[in-house]
Amino acid sequence: MKLAIIGQSLFGQEVYSNLRKQGHRVVGVFTVPDKDGKADPLAVAAEKDGTPVFKFPRWRVKGNPIPEVVDAYKAVGAELNVMPFCSQFIPMNIIDHPKHGSIIYHPSILPLHRGASAINWTLIHGDKKAGFTVFWADDGLDTGPILLQRECAVEPNDTVDTLYNRFLFPEGIKAMVNLAQPAEAIHNWIRGHDKVPGAWTVIDGQVLKHNWGLMQIQWELPVSSCPVTVLYPFCILHPSQLLVKNLQFEDGKMIPASKYFSSGESTSLDLTDDEKKMAEEIRSIWKGILSNVPAIEDTTDFFKSGAASMDVVRLVEEVKQKCAGVQLQNEDVYMATTFQDFIQMFVRKLRGEDQEEELVVDYVKVNNMTVKMPYQCFINGKFEDAENGKSYDTINPTDGSVICKVSYASVGDVDRAVAAAKEAYEIGPWGRMNPRDRGSLLYRLADLMEEHQEELATIESIDSGAVYTLALKTHVGMSIQTFRYFAGWCDKIQGKTIPINQARPNRNLTFTKKEPLGVCAIVIPWNYPLMMLAWKSAACLAAGNTLVLKPAQVTPLTALKFAELSVKAGIPKGVINILPGSGGMVGQRLSDHPDIRKLGFTGSTPIGKQIMKSCALSNLKKVSLELGGKSPLIIFSDCDMDKAVRMGMSSVYFNKGENCIAAGRLFVEESIHDEYISRVVEEIKKMKIGDPLDRSTDHGPQNHKAHLDKLLEYCEVGVKEGATLVYGGRQVDRPGFFMEPTVFTDVEDHMFIAKEESFGPVMVVSKFKDGDVDGVLQRANDTEYGLASGVFTRDINKAMYVSERLEAGTVFVNTYNKTDVASPFGGFKQSGFGKDLGEDALMEYLKTKAVTVEY
């Protein structure tokens, strides 16, 4: 028989495999879309067999079947639908389409426990028998004619897993304990929702066994008012360690636990005429579901009238369809079980009265653009002015105008931010969160960054002078990639088991654990404001730490926008704190603060040395430093000239030279030197210098005026020392901080520009004699820096020889600036130590604990 499988999960996979073994032909599998890049088990099995797989997110919109979905289903020509564990709403024209109709597997002895989680309710109600039913689907889905039933006895200590394992099939369940029941009922509830015995509860003097996983919760009520003590093997968890989110009473009604001791009275809303009309429409929906009730009165209770869990889903979906825009959850029905309570709850949601306190952001707009930018300190999940009320101007380098005033954080602000981060780490949800859940939040944050990527790129261009297209692709694009990469690491941080000499006659087990450090400080530069934030913060957060970040004083705006997005992503308060301000005040206090356990810094070598000293003298905090560079690029005569010119220019002028790995000095083999310089100058003349928001611009303004002045002075020194200024060296005659791309030749090793980094669009070129590989290597390594380097040659042996001998953390061969989130990035010598990106970066934010057990 030709079958269509509509369903999901391991159970669906097992049904699919068994039907194929019995000789049936599965002509199509219809399952749920991939989640976080991972296919459902049913889809995995079907795709492996070459069976057509369809992953529709939904089958209908606003109650109507989606035509293209229906057409795709009909095209497979199924004679029977088999629906194991189907969580989607399937239209009746799909149910009825095959000539043999549709059959469904249900894990209960119908008519008992219709709807979702049937096997759980078998245990919760203390049934003596469990089983499953195969039946024909009808418009009630679980009310059609029964084809087959099987049953088994329920043992006193059966759980969901034991029943599935020995009779049905294992399927994990999540639920909430109801403490307002007799001990035996609570025991039945818990064994119906969990699988591993491990704890017991004392309620009113009764010892109640239950299971470990369920009671990993926290109590929201005042400690003195909590009557429950939960006992675990070897420990007692007192009420202050518990969080009960909701309470459910014996009549099925559920309330927020925090309101248990309130009077139970709330002000009744007076409905408007429009709201009264909606209430009557909802009354008709209740009537359609509770067809056994003569009339829906205000006091009609949804569950006492016979509604089941599937009816909850139907009610929620029908109300949402009828009243678009109202955010309604299944849980809301349990919180308001009578019709009048439901209407009051619905109207409060409609009016927005039930919403949690939203993040208050005081935005500024730039040049009448619809770009919203926070400008205040971000501490403990809120934007607020600096403690001392001070602010400063942040400048648009394109024209020198003031973008906005930004809060100027004080030492007191640092202390408050660190305290918030410490609390978030030690007692907040972040420190207790499962690693996979932490990863989900980081994935969500990356998705929000992608959703706002054009806004972020615009802010980056306005604040730093980055060309918009580069800001979109690299500044923002790589930031998104970085958070996604490290989100994937969250649940893969693991230790090792280590064989050691046994302490005979006993035996020993030694293992290591990787643990977060605690509160971390991050201080970032102004050349890639958002990307530098991402490179360090993503690894820090993935490891489970909390952070206080100081953006560069001249480029704070994307960091503050990032803070706003972090709240929308659901990152708990206190985990991320952003403090704009000066390095001398904020940066120094972060270096000195005794509660910070790690500081990550990117910036100049002199400041890095000062930070390292302060971190050592304060509390010997861990440090990682990515500092200055003077990266050599060696171009041999056997190179691909076109590529060497293109990539050589990129190595210097990428991001207008404000690039930590920029080629600070080019060594060009003598026989091709003149041609190379001629072609570089020819290409420079084609570059468009102008407004970075113009999509056709190649070269934007330098980041800030002080830096432009420093670059002009750098060029003056080069000319005075005798280097040949071939092109540029001047400020562009227009408003803003624009500098001409510059080329120096005849640069000798002793000159200032041969030794010191410009950090701007200045190409410094020296010749080397033909064939003198070792000589040019000696000159290239004659620097106190070792961040990056490069070589261009068609000779692979020469390339490998040179790459092995270059003293730099990164070596590029026949390319340049090719960084990737999976590849470690960091320097040697006075370019610092520690790594950003890749697994190595994660280790910078972890500590290793060794545990030895004797047994």
Side-chain angles (χ1 to χ4, degrees), residues 44-45 64 83 92 261 303 353 417 504 529 571 701 738 793 818 825 838:
V44 172
N64 298 315
M83 303 170 65
M92 285 308 301
F261 293 98
F303 296 103
E353 295 181 10
R504 297 181 179 180
I571 304 294
F738 292 86
T793 176
K818 178 55 182 171
F825 180 94

Side-chain angles (χ1 to χ4, degrees), residues 653-773:
Y653 304 126
F654 189 82
N655 201 46
K656 5 96 176 198
E658 296 168 354
N659 186 18
C660 51
I661 58 172
R665 193 174 181 193
L666 274 67
F667 295 93
V668 181
E669 201 159 10
E670 192 170 31
S671 59
I672 63 167
H673 174 274
D674 292 349
E675 179 188 357
Y676 186 86
I677 297 301
S678 176
R679 292 186 59 173
V680 165
V681 171
E682 182 181 344
E683 292 301 317
I684 289 175
K685 292 177 180 178
K686 299 176 184 177
M687 293 172 65
K688 179 179 178 180
I689 302 173
D691 185 349
L693 292 175
D694 184 336
R695 284 12 178 204
S696 64
T697 295
D698 298 307
H699 189 80
Q702 305 310 134
N703 188 276
H704 51 281
K705 188 175 188 304
H707 182 54
L708 173 63
D709 293 342
K710 178 185 172 185
L711 289 172
L712 296 173
E713 183 181 349
Y714 184 92
C715 293
E716 290 174 4
V717 172
V719 172
K720 287 178 181 178
E721 288 190 327
T724 302
L725 178 61
V726 177
Y727 192 90
R730 298 182 301 270
Q731 182 175 356
V732 177
D733 185 16
R734 59 169 293 161
F737 311 139
F738 292 86
M739 180 176 178
E740 295 176 338
T742 300
V743 179
F744 278 102
T745 60
D746 301 319
V747 178
E748 299 179 11
D749 296 349
H750 68 275
M751 292 180 177
F752 175 82
I753 64 173
K755 294 181 175 293
E756 296 300 323
E757 180 181 27
S758 72
F759 211 65
V762 182
M763 181 179 285
V764 177
V765 185
S766 300
K767 296 179 186 177
F768 68 95
K769 292 182 179 179
D770 290 351
D772 189 9
V773 177

Side-chain angles (χ1 to χ4, degrees), residues 283-294:
R283 193 187 299 272
S284 65
I285 294 173
W286 275 55
K287 178 59 180 172
I289 297 172
L290 304 176
S291 57
N292 57 313
V293 178

